[in-house]
Amino acid sequence: QVQLVVSGGGLVQPVWFLSLSCSASGNIVTIYTMSWYLQAPGKQRELVAYITYAGDTNYADSVKGRFTITRDSAKNTVYLKMKSLKSEDTAAYYCNFDVRELWSRKIYWGQGTQVTVSS
């Protein structure tokens, strides 16, 4: 089994920086795409950004130019660096990994971490 552990959430003011990380452990051969999602109260979970194994990235329009997704494949870790935070960024953030195990390929979710932007 593979476990994803998320850290880095918190309370910030606009313009401040915040970095989230998500690390996977377990029977991992390769992690293909690593993604971040957010879920605001009462709303569906939506994609924030993803990064492929090759390092190609994609961002939701709402975070382009403000958030940066990076990965350290050797550490099975994805990062989300956030700047110019707005109150509308307030949500629970979840990491999502497309994991190649020895004889299978599965999608795993982290537990989520709350980001609250105060104004």
Side-chain angles (χ1 to χ4, degrees):
Q1 190 66 29
V2 174
Q3 297 82 42
L4 276 57
V5 178
V6 185
S7 63
L11 174 66
V12 298
Q13 297 177 342
V15 182
W16 285 19
F17 283 73
L18 186 67
S19 295
L20 309 181
S21 66
C22 177
S23 297
S25 61
N27 300 317
I28 300 166
V29 175
T30 305
I31 302 178
Y32 298 117
T33 297
M34 297 175 165
S35 304
W36 286 99
Y37 287 76
L38 66 80
Q39 187 167 23
K43 296 187 176 182
Q44 294 184 332
R45 195 169 297 180
E46 60 186 67
L47 180 69
V48 175
Y50 68 75
I51 182 166
T52 70
Y53 184 76
D56 298 316
T57 60
N58 190 69
Y59 299 89
D61 289 341
S62 61
V63 307
K64 286 181 180 177
R66 300 190 298 118
F67 292 7
T68 302
I69 186 170
T70 58
R71 65 185 287 163
D72 186 336
S73 294
K75 297 181 178 180
N76 295 322
T77 300
V78 66
Y79 304 90
L80 187 67
K81 295 179 173 61
M82 314 160 80
K83 68 176 184 179
S84 300
L85 286 156
K86 310 171 182 178
S87 59
E88 64 195 61
D89 296 320
T90 295
Y93 285 74
Y94 297 84
C95 54
N96 174 281
F97 287 179
D98 181 2
V99 180
R100 174 68 178 181
E101 300 176 68
L102 188 59
W103 300 113
S104 64
R105 183 171 176 174
K106 298 179 180 178
I107 301 298
Y108 291 92
W109 290 93
Q111 82 278 11
T113 186
Q114 179 67 34
V115 173
T116 302
V117 183
S118 176
S119 63

